[in-house]
């Protein structure tokens, strides 16, 4: 018996192609062609990859379908595409004799199935196809909106000048590591450093939580936790602390004091006109959070410190063993303690190569710092076990943090 799948099912397959396009750096549009309830061809945007302005998802899928059928006449077939076809793709659809076209998101700039004009309703054309629009429109539109937001952010970020005493990691090294549900932004602070931060802002947000990652990691540590906060109406701000991630990296370890980091964060939050109700700080970033609150009038801000319970060797012990006057190279013991068991892509980012050894300042300047007990007043402290991947918090820890923040 032939199983009849829904339009939503086939559009979800087209969305998978759009995601592949996004990962390849193309505008995220995908398409599939269906014959007798079965997908016989797939396509995604490849204009950049092939240096071909005609390589839209629909055209790529049509060519594959023609090869599969052994003919350029594709009568009786259905095409599912995540974005309303343009004039070029509509023409290719007519020439291929596609019977039915289903699209997801409308295109108010180049759409030719009803938005800008409707070629499918022109009586003088020698072929007509049935058209249905708006299938999984939110999902199809959302991936495009996020893509162009990140593109604009990258363009703005590239225009921010680089200080002579600073290094900057290429965004290429973060390919596949930045989750699409955490929009990227860049802020040029008063000291001239480019700060990368993620700002997840629900349509109606009740309160704001500031999340400070562990050194030498970056904001992606909070990706799962952010989803929990967003669904509960919290605005979540997750910066890459200076020296980490996509934020600028001072070459001198002496810069990495609690006061320096607190100044940069205070500047960012002032720019956003935000006072966080809660600050979650992992590991040594708790000192920064404490300094930040003490230097402001945020008496009502709650501080939550999450540290690791490590049976092998404590962060403090590792730091003392390799601090002082000894030069710490990027693969000495203290670094290995933090980089152990990272995925290959995470490790590649954390040890990103530069023309000189300046990026190791973060290891020299921060990894020997443990949480100062003199700042412990006002902190709610949690311990977490070591996981197989030090970068990840784990579901149980994330749930405990979420509940603690929610309960106020």
């Amino acid at each position: 018996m032939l199983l009849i799948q829904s339009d939503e099912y086939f559009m979800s397959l087209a969305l998978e192609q759009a995601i592949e396009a996004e990962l390849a750096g193309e505008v995220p549009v995908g398409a599939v062609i269906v014959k007798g309830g079965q997908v016989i061809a797939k396509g995604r945007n490849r204009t950049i990859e092939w240096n071909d302005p005609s390589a839209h998802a629909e055209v790529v899928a049509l060519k594959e379908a023609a090869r599969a059928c052994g003919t350029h006449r594709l009568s009786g077939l259905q095409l599912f595409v995540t974005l309303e076809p343009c004039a070029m793709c509509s023409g290719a659809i007519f020439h291929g004799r596609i019977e039915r076209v289903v699209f997801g998101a409308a295109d108010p700039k180049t759409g030719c199935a009803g938005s800008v004009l409707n070629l499918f309703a022109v009586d003088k054309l020698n072929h007509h196809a049935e058209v249905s629009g708006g299938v999984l429109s939110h999902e199809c539109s959302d991936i495009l909106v996020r893509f162009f937001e990140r593109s604009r952010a990258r363009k703005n970020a590239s225009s921010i000048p680089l200080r002579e005493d600073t290094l900057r990691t290429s965004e290429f090294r973060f390919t596949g590591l930045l989750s699409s549900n955490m929009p990227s932004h860049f802020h040029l602070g008063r000291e001239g450093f480019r700060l990368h931060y993620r700002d997840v802002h629900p349509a109606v947000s009740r309160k704001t939580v500031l999340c400070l990652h562990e050194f030498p990691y970056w904001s992606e540590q909070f990706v799962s936790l952010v989803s929990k906060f967003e669904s509960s109406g919290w605005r979540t701000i997750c910066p890459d602390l200076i020296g980490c991630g996509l934020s600028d990296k001072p070459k001198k370890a002496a810069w990495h004091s609690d006061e320096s980091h607190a100044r940069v964060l205070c500047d960012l939050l002032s720019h956003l006109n935000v006072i966080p109700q809660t600050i979650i700080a992992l590991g040594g970033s708790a000192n920064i959070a404490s300094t930040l609150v003490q230097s402001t009038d945020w008496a009502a801000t709650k501080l939550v410190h999450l540290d690791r319970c490590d049976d092998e060797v404590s962060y403090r012990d590792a730091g003392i063993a390799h601090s002082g006057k000894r030069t710490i190279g990027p693969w000495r013991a203290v670094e290995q303690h933090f980089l152990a068991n990272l995925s290959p892509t995470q490790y590649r980012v954390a040890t990103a190569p530069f023309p000189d050894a300046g990026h190791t300042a973060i290891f020299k300047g921060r990894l020997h710092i443990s949480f100062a007990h003199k700042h412990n007043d006002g902190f709610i402290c949690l311990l977490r076990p070591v996981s197989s991947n030090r970068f990840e918090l784990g579901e149980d820890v994330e749930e405990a943090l979420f509940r603690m923040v929610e309960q106020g």
Side-chain angles (χ1 to χ4, degrees):
M1 183 178 67
L2 180 64
L3 177 64
I4 305 299
Q5 300 285 7
S6 66
D7 287 352
E8 287 77 10
Y9 170 76
F10 291 117
M11 189 60 72
S12 69
L13 299 182
L15 267 170
E16 291 178 1
Q17 292 298 303
I19 292 170
E20 287 189 19
E22 181 182 29
L23 293 175
E26 303 272 2
V27 175
V29 179
V32 297
I33 293 180
V34 177
K35 178 180 181 180
Q38 299 294 321
V39 173
I40 64 165
K42 301 175 182 178
R44 63 169 177 82
N45 271 7
R46 294 181 180 269
T47 55
I48 299 173
E49 179 185 352
W50 290 354
N51 293 317
D52 181 355
S54 71
H56 287 195
E58 300 96 310
V59 174
V60 174
L62 286 166
K63 289 180 177 180
E64 184 175 310
R67 287 192 293 269
C69 295
T71 176
H72 67 292
R73 297 300 191 193
L74 305 176
S75 302
L77 275 59
Q78 300 181 75
L79 184 147
F80 292 79
V81 60
T82 57
L83 183 65
E84 182 181 355
C86 65
M88 177 188 70
C89 294
S90 299
I93 289 167
F94 296 153
H95 286 296
R97 301 295 192 267
I98 291 291
E99 180 177 295
R100 181 171 181 250
V101 176
V102 182
F103 67 86
D107 185 349
K109 293 185 177 180
T110 63
C112 289
S115 292
V116 177
L117 54 90
N118 191 353
L119 292 178
F120 293 84
V122 177
D123 293 335
K124 293 182 179 180
L125 293 176
N126 66 341
H127 176 72
H128 297 88
E130 178 188 344
V131 178
S132 299
V135 176
L136 298 185
S137 60
H138 176 75
E139 292 85 347
C140 294
S141 175
D142 193 45
I143 190 173
L144 286 162
V145 170
R146 293 198 307 264
F147 175 82
F148 286 111
E149 282 180 347
R150 286 194 295 273
S151 295
R152 287 190 292 270
R154 284 194 296 270
K155 184 177 180 180
N156 294 336
S158 64
S159 67
I160 296 177
L162 182 66
R163 288 176 37 153
E164 291 184 358
D165 61 347
T166 304
L167 298 164
R168 186 174 289 170
T169 304
S170 168
E171 286 191 59
F172 171 76
R173 295 199 164 269
F174 284 82
T175 301
L177 285 180
L178 299 180
S179 301
S180 58
N181 67 326
M182 294 175 66
S184 285
H185 306 274
F186 292 90
H187 172 62
L188 177 61
R190 297 175 184 175
E191 298 185 37
F193 294 116
R194 187 188 79 171
L195 181 73
H196 175 245
Y197 67 99
R198 326 289 281 280
D199 187 358
V200 179
H201 197 171
V204 179
S205 56
R206 298 184 292 117
K207 296 180 180 179
T208 299
V209 57
L210 174 67
C211 298
L212 304 182
H213 61 79
E214 201 164 15
F215 288 97
Y217 306 142
W218 55 95
S219 53
E220 196 73 9
Q221 273 197 293
F222 294 104
V223 60
S224 298
L225 188 59
V226 165
S227 297
K228 293 179 181 290
F229 284 129
E230 182 181 18
S231 63
S232 190
W234 281 76
R235 179 180 184 178
T236 311
I237 300 172
C238 306
D240 289 354
L241 294 167
I242 293 295
C244 302
L246 282 171
S247 291
D248 283 351
K249 297 174 169 60
K251 295 180 182 179
K252 295 182 179 179
W255 185 90
H256 289 282
S257 66
D258 298 330
E259 291 74 18
S260 295
H261 282 280
R263 283 198 308 271
V264 171
L265 292 175
C266 187
D267 183 45
L268 170 67
L269 295 170
S270 176
H271 167 72
L272 297 175
N273 194 26
V274 167
I275 296 177
Q277 280 69 42
T278 301
I279 301 178
I280 296 176
L282 307 187
S285 66
N287 286 334
I288 298 171
S290 179
T291 302
L292 175 63
V293 171
Q294 290 176 9
S295 64
T296 62
D297 57 355
W298 302 347
T301 298
K302 182 171 72 174
L303 305 175
V304 178
H305 175 217
L306 179 66
D307 212 344
R308 190 189 305 273
C309 177
D310 193 336
D311 293 330
E312 301 171 8
V313 56
S314 71
Y315 285 176
R316 181 180 301 176
D317 292 341
I320 291 173
H322 296 276
S323 61
K325 296 183 179 180
R326 292 186 59 183
T327 300
I328 305 176
W331 292 281
R332 296 288 178 85
V334 66
E335 289 93 335
Q336 285 296 328
H337 184 73
F338 283 84
L339 303 177
N341 299 318
L342 294 182
S343 72
T345 46
Q346 291 168 344
Y347 185 89
R348 182 186 68 208
V349 169
T351 60
F354 290 94
D356 55 53
H359 69 294
T360 61
I362 190 66
F363 294 109
K364 301 173 188 176
R366 293 302 308 186
L367 296 196
H368 69 282
I369 296 176
S370 59
F371 182 58
H373 291 285
K374 65 180 180 180
H375 289 165
N376 197 35
D377 293 342
F379 264 93
I380 299 174
C381 297
L382 296 175
L383 290 177
R384 66 183 174 110
V386 174
S387 63
S388 59
N389 186 326
R390 293 176 181 273
F391 187 86
E392 298 172 355
L393 299 181
E395 292 183 7
D396 292 343
V397 171
E398 289 172 349
E399 183 63 26
L401 284 171
F402 173 71
R403 291 185 179 278
M404 184 171 292
V405 172
E406 269 287 275
Q407 292 169 1

